[in-house]
Structure formats: C-alpha cells, structure tokens
Amino acid sequence: VGIAERTPPDILINRLREYFKLLGERISVHGGKIVNIAGDGMVAIWIDPVLTNQQQSACLASVAMKQAVDRFNSSPDDDQLITRFGLHEGEFAIGRVSSHRLEDNLFGDAINTTSRIEGANKFLGTHILASAAIANKVSELILRPVGTFLLKGKHQPLDLVEIVGVQSGSTNSNLAIYRDFNKGLTVFRKGHWKQALAIFKRLQTHYGYDGPANYYLEKFANQEKPPADWQGYITLESK
C-alpha cells in the first residue's frame, strides 16, 4: 500500500514539505537550484558558472541528501520515504509550455537520461547513480562502477557508477565489497559470466546482501555464458 493511500492529505503534505525542505537546504549549500517538484519527485540543476566543479557539487549534494533522508526516516513511527538519485550532464532548455502553469519545465535529452538513471536504482538496489560523464570529473568520493546499460528509450548504452559516499566515511569492509564486485564486473563484461556469477555469489556469502551483486545473480542466474551478439551492455526494458 502506498504512503499516499494510507496517509491523510494534511499529514502527507506536511511530511513532504519537511522532506523537500531538508533536500533543498543541501542542494542550496552545494550551489544547486530546485527547478521542479512533481509529487514526491524533484529536479535540481547546477548551472552556476562560479562553481569550479559543478559535477562534484552535485555529487556531494546527493550524498548529503541521502544522509539527511536516512536521519529523516529514522523514526519507527513514520513511513519511510525511499529516495533515489540520478546524476547526468548535458544541454537542456528551461521554459513554460503553458501560460496556466506557474513552474518552468526542463526539456532535453539530458533531462530524460537523468530520469532513466534515477530509475535504474530500483533494479540495482542502489541509491545514487551517475553516468560516467559525471563520475569522471569528481574526486574524494567512493565510486563503484555497476555496469553498462541501455536505458529504456535510449539508443546508446551508458556506463553507470554508484556514488557511495565520501572517502573518509567508508569502512574497510565496504571497500572490500566494492573491490570484489569490480572483479566480477570486469569478467562479466568480457563474457565470462559463469566466473562472474561465482564472484558475486562469494561476495554475498562473505559480506551479506549487496544490491548490484544481487541484481546480476538474479538476472543471469541460469545463464553461464552471454548470447552470441553480446556487446558488453545490459538492456533495461523498463524504467
């Protein structure tokens, strides 16, 4: 049952107001701007030319928002607001298509791609995903490549990277998980699926549940080798 279905409207709007306030504060501190809110979803952009690294600022904001949402969800009496983040870069336009609408909308392939990246979190069991275009321009963050995907409605596959957190906040056990996962992903991309699945299975046996490893184990459980036309990427047919 969805939160909206079981929560009175006045209580729901107050909770969402508090939720978006704490997200907005982290975005503003890191130089971003919220340009659209629809339901429980939000779009923010980083376009300030004063920022020396807009990609870094956006990633740091996402990490800070994830931490804030975790605290926000800490009360056992409240419904959990699961929050996923997608980060991408590119050109877009801002404008209104109707004189009856007060808010501006964003238009462009970069916006659509960002939405698809955000949606990929649901399949991979992650919270913050970025395109390689973003990940290649940041530093002092823990990054984990999770694979190459052809997102729904797209014609070119994208390398996706999980933004795990800042380097100073990661434990040795976490780093071991990411290292072992990367070994499995490397051989998976080369077409050695049986070997890759064995690595992912050992990872979960040793460290416990891991979203990306679990995704590969479930999706390719009965496939020990790739199809003849394997090109190194996975097609996501839904968003």
Side-chain angles (χ1 to χ4, degrees):
V1 180
I3 294 176
E5 185 175 347
R6 62 175 178 263
T7 306
D10 57 333
I11 296 177
L12 178 63
I13 194 170
N14 286 333
R15 185 157 170 79
L16 286 175
R17 186 178 290 117
E18 183 181 356
Y19 171 73
F20 283 120
K21 180 176 183 291
L22 68 88
L23 295 184
E25 288 172 348
R26 274 75 184 172
I27 289 170
S28 179
V29 164
H30 290 90
K33 178 183 178 183
I34 298 174
V35 291
N36 186 268
I37 294 176
D40 60 356
M42 178 183 70
V43 179
I45 57 175
W46 276 259
I47 56 174
D48 188 346
V50 175
L51 292 175
T52 57
N53 190 329
Q54 296 170 351
Q55 295 85 355
Q56 178 87 1
S57 297
C59 289
L60 289 174
S62 298
V63 171
M65 285 188 282
K66 171 63 171 58
Q67 294 170 344
V69 170
D70 288 346
R71 292 191 294 270
F72 183 76
N73 286 332
S74 62
S75 172
D77 299 325
D78 293 321
D79 287 308
Q80 304 295 294
L81 293 176
I82 299 173
T83 307
R84 306 180 183 95
F85 304 87
L87 297 119
H88 189 47
E89 67 176 16
E91 295 183 353
F92 57 87
I94 305 176
R96 299 178 190 175
V97 295
S98 171
S99 60
H100 301 289
R101 183 180 177 87
L102 296 178
E103 286 188 340
D104 289 333
N105 278 325
L106 300 179
F107 303 91
D109 181 65
I111 303 302
N112 295 332
T113 300
T114 304
S115 176
R116 298 293 188 265
I117 293 172
E118 182 274 325
N121 283 290
K122 292 183 291 185
F123 304 101
L124 290 162
T126 52
H127 292 280
I128 309 174
L129 287 177
S131 64
I134 291 284
N136 290 339
K137 297 174 182 176
V138 302
S139 61
E140 300 180 3
L141 292 168
I142 302 297
L143 308 177
R144 170 165 59 158
V146 292
T148 305
F149 298 87
L150 182 63
L151 304 174
K152 183 175 176 60
K154 300 300 169 185
H155 297 94
Q156 296 294 327
L158 277 178
D159 290 331
L160 297 185
V161 178
E162 181 185 13
I163 308 293
V164 179
V166 295
Q167 289 181 353
S168 60
S170 186
T171 66
N172 290 334
S173 61
N174 286 338
L175 294 176
I177 291 172
Y178 309 145
R179 183 192 64 234
D180 289 353
F181 177 84
N182 193 57
K183 291 178 181 177
L185 181 62
T186 299
V187 296
F188 178 86
R189 283 171 160 163
K190 293 179 179 179
H192 307 306
W193 287 11
K194 183 177 182 180
Q195 182 183 353
L197 294 176
I199 293 173
F200 295 143
K201 187 173 182 179
R202 286 198 303 271
L203 184 155
Q204 292 217 130
T205 299
H206 186 73
Y207 299 107
Y209 176 83
D210 177 71
N214 189 69
Y215 168 79
Y216 283 91
L217 285 170
E218 288 193 346
K219 185 172 180 62
F220 302 99
N222 300 316
Q223 298 175 254
E224 293 188 348
K225 60 181 180 179
D229 61 350
W230 171 244
Q231 298 181 56
Y233 64 82
I234 300 167
T235 299
L236 288 183
E237 298 179 349
S238 55
K239 58 183 180 178

